[in-house]
């Protein structure tokens, strides 16, 4: 039987005060133990002093910063509606990466970004559709900081992240829109079709997925609802759906419009109609219905391109180089080449090699004597200087 430390009485009963269970003595009112009445009977309560480790268990070895990060991960899972099966993997990533100096001695903002990166990595490993924008917004950090912490996390832990599933990401992105179920389904279906067409034209190769999805969704919105106020401009559309507007999104929209314009101009019933970059969204349905035929026509025009067989390097002659340059200048055929060939980056300028020994070359004695004045030349120069001073 347990006794009260104040009066020695054995009248110890649990008391529910403000939603928290306590063990209280009925004789003197002394609180014998706090927070233990919910799972212990009065006979089982030990009124002797308990150490912190024996009282709280595993939490004694966890620092406050680590507890904050684990709590942040639980909040992210609740906010984004991610299944709890991936929460243990995210916490394991965070517990492994947090003691490392690269993540431990940083500001609180970067530690919050690390929690979001662990959630993003766990979702990617389980093939759950999630984007960097969703994860960075959940922890309220900029995409630049999130990308830096994510790359550092992948390198430090050596994680093998599988490739993203583009259709699932599109469906997940469209499900966040504040529209009806039918509108979301139609918008996701049209966006997937536009992304598949752009994938055939190398527009998605080596590019980030999220700007391409936003751009394709914008064009799909314009094609399905041409009179919608959100389709006035790209900035208005991004503000309407709650995603940040960036230069990458604007460039992807321009590239997709050029591709759609090139394919739309090849349709026979649109030859005599004026189709521009701004009005090409009205004909996306017709382009998607005949995309196989239109792409086949572009491939047939590419029959004169130089063929490279095998993996061995082949040197192109002057005629082949001219054909490739002409093909890159042709907008109809440039979509059959990767962007790195159509618009290659300028190579960095090579700095000239600096000579470490500038006077290493030896000069012969005969050459040195050519630069030494003779006594006659010295006398003439002195006479000339004296004449100039006397005049």
């Amino acid at each position: 039987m347990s006794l009260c430390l104040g009066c020695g009485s054995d009248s110890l009963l649990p008391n529910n005060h403000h939603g928290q269970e306590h063990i209280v003595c009925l004789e003197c009112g002394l609180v014998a133990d706090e927070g233990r009445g919910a799972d212990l009977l009065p006979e089982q309560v030990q009124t002797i002093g308990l150490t912190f480790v024996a009282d709280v268990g595993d939490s004694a070895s966890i620092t406050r910063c680590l507890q904050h990060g684990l709590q942040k991960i639980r909040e992210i899972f609740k906010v984004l509606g991610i299944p709890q099966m991936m929460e243990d993997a995210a916490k394991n990533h965070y517990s492994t990466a947090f003691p490392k100096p690269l993540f431990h001695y940083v500001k609180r903002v970067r530690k919050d970004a690390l929690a979001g990166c662990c959630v993003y990595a766990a979702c990617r490993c389980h093939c759950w559709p999630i984007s960097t924008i969703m994860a960075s917004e959940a922890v309220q950090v900029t995409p630049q900081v999130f990308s830096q912490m994510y790359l550092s996390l992948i390198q430090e832990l050596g994680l093998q992240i599988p490739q993203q599933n583009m259709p699932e990401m599109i469906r997940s992105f469209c499900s966040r829109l504040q529209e009806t179920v039918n509108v979301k389904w139609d918008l996701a279906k049209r966006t997937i079709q536009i992304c598949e067409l752009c994938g055939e034209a190398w527009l998605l190769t080596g590019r980030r997925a999220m700007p391409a999805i936003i751009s394709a969704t914008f064009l799909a919105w314009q094609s399905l609802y041409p009179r919608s106020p959100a389709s006035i401009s790209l900035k208005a559309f991004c503000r309407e759906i709650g995603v940040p507007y960036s230069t990458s999104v604007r460039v992807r929209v321009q590239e997709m419009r050029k591709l759609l314009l090139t394919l739309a101009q090849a349709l026979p019933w649109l030859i005599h109609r004026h189709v521009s970059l701004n009005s090409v969204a009205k004909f996306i349905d017709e382009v998607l219905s005949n995309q196989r035929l239109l792409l086949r026509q572009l491939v047939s025009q590419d029959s004169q391109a130089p063929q490279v067989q095998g993996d061995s390097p082949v040197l192109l002659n002057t005629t082949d180089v001219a054909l490739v340059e002409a093909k890159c200048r042709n907008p109809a055929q440039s979509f059959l080449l990767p962007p790195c060939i159509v618009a290659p980056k300028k190579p960095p300028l090579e700095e000239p090699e600096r000579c470490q020994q500038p006077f290493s070359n030896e000069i012969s004695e005969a050459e040195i004597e050519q630069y030494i004045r003779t006594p006659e030349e010295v006398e003439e120069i002195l006479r000339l200087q004296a004449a100039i001073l006397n005049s």
Side-chain angles (χ1 to χ4, degrees), residues 72-73 75-77 79-82 90 109-124 128-147 149-150 153 164 169 172-173 176 210 242-244:
K72 199 74 175 180
I73 291 176
E75 294 175 356
I76 294 173
F77 272 86
V79 170
L80 299 182
I82 304 174
V109 177
R110 291 188 174 270
K111 292 181 180 179
D112 294 342
L114 177 62
C117 293
C118 294
V119 174
Y120 180 75
C123 295
R124 287 284 302 274
W128 180 263
I130 187 174
S131 62
T132 55
I133 295 179
M134 296 172 58
S136 60
E137 289 180 352
V139 294
Q140 297 180 356
V141 296
T142 60
Q144 292 78 10
V145 175
F146 186 87
S147 300
M149 297 299 294
Y150 178 69
L153 177 67
Q164 290 180 326
M169 288 191 61
S172 176
F173 177 76
R176 300 172 54 196
M210 207 57 207
V243 297

Side-chain angles (χ1 to χ4, degrees), residues 28-43:
C28 62
L30 177 66
V31 179
D33 198 359
E34 298 184 7
R36 300 295 301 276
D39 52 354
L40 296 178
L41 297 176
E43 296 83 8

Side-chain angles (χ1 to χ4, degrees), residues 304-306 316-331 333-334 337 341-342 344:
Q304 297 180 355
L316 301 179
N317 54 25
T318 307
T319 306
D320 295 337
V321 173
L323 288 175
V324 173
E325 292 179 354
K327 180 178 176 181
C328 294
R329 289 192 298 267
N330 188 359
Q333 296 182 356
S334 61
L337 294 174
I341 297 179
V342 177

Side-chain angles (χ1 to χ4, degrees), residues 31-324:
V31 179
D33 198 359
E34 298 184 7
R36 300 295 301 276
D39 52 354
L40 296 178
L41 297 176
E43 296 83 8
Q44 300 172 333
V45 176
Q46 300 294 333
T47 57
I48 59 175
L50 298 177
T51 60
F52 181 75
V53 176
D55 192 16
V56 299
D58 296 338
S59 298
S61 60
I62 300 178
T63 61
R64 296 178 60 183
C65 294
L66 184 57
Q67 290 180 0
H68 175 79
L70 298 178
Q71 180 64 26
K72 199 74 175 180
I73 291 176
R74 288 192 291 267
E75 294 175 356
I76 294 173
F77 272 86
K78 292 180 181 179
V79 170
L80 299 182
I82 304 174
Q84 298 297 323
M85 57 180 292
M86 291 172 273
E87 184 175 350
D88 295 337
K91 290 181 178 179
N92 187 19
H93 294 335
Y94 189 85
S95 301
T96 305
F98 184 78
K100 296 182 180 297
L102 184 61
F103 307 110
H104 190 74
Y105 302 104
V106 293
K107 295 182 179 180
R108 178 60 64 87
V109 177
R110 291 188 174 270
K111 292 181 180 179
D112 294 342
L114 177 62
C117 293
C118 294
V119 174
Y120 180 75
C123 295
R124 287 284 302 274
C125 292
H126 290 79
C127 299
W128 180 263
I130 187 174
S131 62
T132 55
I133 295 179
M134 296 172 58
S136 60
E137 289 180 352
V139 294
Q140 297 180 356
V141 296
T142 60
Q144 292 78 10
V145 175
F146 186 87
S147 300
Q148 294 175 2
M149 297 299 294
Y150 178 69
L151 293 178
S152 302
L153 177 67
I154 297 300
Q155 295 176 0
E156 289 292 330
L157 301 186
L159 300 177
Q160 299 294 333
I161 306 298
Q163 188 176 4
Q164 290 180 326
N165 190 355
M166 183 70 76
E168 292 296 332
M169 288 191 61
I170 293 174
R171 296 188 185 96
S172 176
F173 177 76
C174 294
S175 63
R176 300 172 54 196
L177 304 181
Q178 299 178 358
E179 299 293 340
T180 60
V181 178
N182 295 332
V183 172
K184 293 179 182 179
W185 174 256
D186 296 339
L187 194 61
K189 183 178 179 181
R190 180 61 59 84
T191 304
I192 292 174
Q193 293 177 350
I194 295 176
C195 288
E196 290 177 352
L197 176 61
C198 295
E200 296 288 340
W202 298 87
L203 294 184
L204 304 182
T205 304
R207 306 288 181 80
R208 291 182 298 170
M210 207 57 207
I213 292 176
I214 298 175
S215 304
T217 307
F218 171 66
L219 296 177
W221 187 288
Q222 283 188 332
S223 64
L224 293 174
Y225 313 102
R227 297 183 180 180
S228 177
S231 63
I232 296 176
S233 64
L234 181 59
K235 288 185 178 180
F237 176 78
C238 294
R239 185 169 55 252
E240 181 72 17
I241 64 178
V243 297
Y245 172 80
S246 61
T247 307
S248 301
V249 177
R250 178 178 57 82
V251 174
R252 295 294 93 77
V253 170
Q254 292 178 356
E255 293 176 350
M256 292 179 182
R257 280 178 172 175
K258 290 180 181 179
L259 173 63
L260 294 172
L261 178 61
T262 303
L263 298 179
Q265 290 176 347
L267 294 174
W269 57 88
L270 295 180
I271 294 177
H272 301 288
R273 296 188 60 177
H274 178 68
V275 183
S276 61
L277 292 175
N278 296 328
S279 63
V280 72
K282 302 177 182 179
F283 309 101
I284 290 180
D285 191 10
E286 301 178 14
V287 171
L288 295 176
S289 302
N290 304 275
Q291 61 175 342
R292 294 299 176 187
L293 177 61
L294 297 175
L295 291 175
R296 196 178 298 114
Q297 291 179 0
L298 292 181
V299 172
S300 62
Q301 298 176 6
D302 192 44
S303 58
Q304 297 180 355
Q307 302 294 330
V308 178
Q309 298 179 357
D311 297 335
S312 60
V314 177
L315 297 177
L316 301 179
N317 54 25
T318 307
T319 306
D320 295 337
V321 173
L323 288 175
V324 173

